Amino acid sequence: MTEPSREQEIALARERAKRSLPLIAFVLLGLLAISLPLPKRFVAALPLLVAAYLSVRLLRFIKDRPTSEKLWTALSLGIIVAMLLTLVVQVFFYGPVSAYEQCYDQAQTATARASCEQLQRSGLLGTLLS
């Protein structure tokens, strides 16, 4: 490898890392926020939207690179979109999802949890998951 192309590769790797670290931080923040209880869970949309934007910018930056380098960024974008779609579904079915989570949080025995599972299967949410 010639010295100028090695330095170009190093500069490219540094720039890619500089663009990747905020993306990783926003994805982790979104994962943390998505584990919150239901009304607060929708806060996760903000860091996930920022992560999707940063992911698209990173894909544009590495568009001339080999496919193997783009694969992980595209995969992360797919995961981010899947998490955002999960939030959208929870918005549309807020009532059944909220009722199930509340039931499950208050259940202290296996029998009570089984009744929550039955609540999940009997409602509209159960129709979608079956």
Side-chain angles (χ1 to χ4, degrees):
M1 218 179 204
T2 62
E3 200 60 37
S5 80
R6 179 175 163 83
E7 288 187 16
Q8 287 175 349
E9 288 294 322
I10 291 172
L12 179 69
R14 284 185 179 154
E15 185 64 27
R16 189 173 47 230
K18 188 173 112 177
R19 292 172 183 249
S20 297
L21 288 177
L23 169 64
I24 294 168
F26 279 108
V27 169
L28 289 176
L29 189 61
L31 280 173
L32 254 166
I34 214 165
S35 66
L36 292 172
L38 222 176
K40 297 175 186 173
R41 183 176 305 156
F42 299 124
V43 171
L46 183 63
L48 290 175
L49 286 172
V50 172
Y53 171 74
L54 291 175
S55 186
V56 169
R57 281 189 55 202
L58 182 59
L59 275 173
R60 286 183 180 168
F61 175 71
I62 60 174
K63 68 181 174 191
D64 297 331
R65 304 298 299 164
T67 304
S68 60
E69 291 185 27
K70 294 182 247 183
L71 181 66
W72 292 108
T73 306
L75 183 65
S76 70
L77 181 60
I79 292 169
I80 292 166
V81 168
M83 287 191 292
L84 284 168
L85 287 175
T86 301
L87 287 174
V88 168
V89 168
Q90 290 178 10
V91 166
F92 286 120
F93 299 108
Y94 181 78
V97 172
S98 177
Y100 170 73
E101 283 191 5
Q102 186 177 16
C103 176
Y104 201 80
D105 286 343
Q106 293 174 352
Q108 296 181 2
T109 63
T111 307
R113 287 196 172 109
S115 68
C116 293
E117 296 295 327
Q118 186 175 0
L119 171 73
Q120 180 187 21
R121 278 185 247 118
S122 67
L124 181 59
L125 183 64
T127 307
L128 291 175
L129 295 177
S130 299

